[in-house]
Amino acid sequence: MLLQRIADTDLFSSLRDMQRLQQQLSRLMSVEKWPSTQEFPPINVWTSENGAIARTEIPGIDPNDIEISLVNDSLTIKGSRNPEIVQEGQTYHRQERGHGQFTRSLQLPFRVEADEVQAHFINGVLEITLPRAKADQPRKIGVISE
């Protein structure tokens, strides 16, 4: 049908039709849960001699639905966001925020003192403080000259 219209109309009208079709397809694709081309949630990690800080933005998630686990040097964050409730008589015009369950794991560059890990959730930002295990902290080794 679109090809028939393209053949019967002028070039500029055809380009507008193609742009409109592309916008409709893009809007349909945005209804997906989490974006499949990137990992969710995005995480920034800073490291120092004393440990690491991992920070991620996960607004709209109940802190009680967040699960953080640490196995050796692997940090895993699990959670879920419930879909927004559409009131009667309303329909989505655009839905870009994802919902559903997510799991994100990353390997840290050192082992962590698991008993001293702390997590804070403020205004949709989760910050996890991961102190470096004492056995993995850098040590200065003196050189003995003879």
Side-chain angles (χ1 to χ4, degrees):
M1 184 160 88
L2 179 61
L3 292 176
Q4 178 76 30
R5 289 179 57 197
I6 290 172
D8 293 344
T9 59
D10 67 286
L11 179 62
F12 294 111
S13 177
S14 299
L15 289 174
R16 282 192 297 271
D17 287 342
M18 298 214 28
Q19 285 177 330
R20 194 174 15 251
L21 179 61
Q22 183 181 15
Q23 289 171 349
Q24 289 173 348
L25 287 172
S26 295
R27 193 173 23 226
L28 286 172
M29 296 302 186
S30 69
V31 177
E32 289 182 23
K33 290 186 175 184
W34 304 112
S36 60
T37 57
Q38 60 185 12
E39 296 185 73
F40 184 86
I43 299 175
N44 289 343
V45 179
W46 295 268
T47 62
S48 69
E49 289 182 7
N50 300 323
I53 295 176
R55 190 176 296 154
T56 182
E57 297 173 5
I58 45 176
I61 293 178
D62 185 340
N64 296 320
D65 292 337
I66 301 170
E67 179 183 322
I68 302 168
S69 62
L70 184 69
V71 177
N72 297 323
D73 59 353
S74 294
L75 173 69
T76 300
I77 303 170
K78 294 181 181 179
S80 65
R81 180 186 294 146
N82 296 324
E84 295 177 288
I85 298 172
V86 179
Q87 302 298 320
E88 187 174 326
Q90 294 180 334
T91 58
Y92 275 108
H93 172 68
R94 189 167 193 94
Q95 183 182 15
E96 295 182 352
R97 289 184 60 184
H99 62 274
Q101 295 184 342
F102 64 86
T103 300
R104 182 72 196 273
S105 295
L106 59 101
Q107 186 171 11
L108 299 167
F110 47 75
R111 289 180 293 163
V112 172
E113 290 290 344
D115 294 339
E116 298 177 19
V117 173
Q118 294 182 352
H120 299 278
F121 189 75
I122 301 171
N123 294 331
V125 177
L126 176 65
E127 182 174 296
I128 306 168
T129 303
L130 304 145
R132 184 185 292 233
K134 299 210 181 338
D136 280 9
Q137 288 185 355
R139 286 176 279 172
K140 186 172 183 174
I141 299 171
V143 177
I144 300 171
S145 66
E146 297 179 11

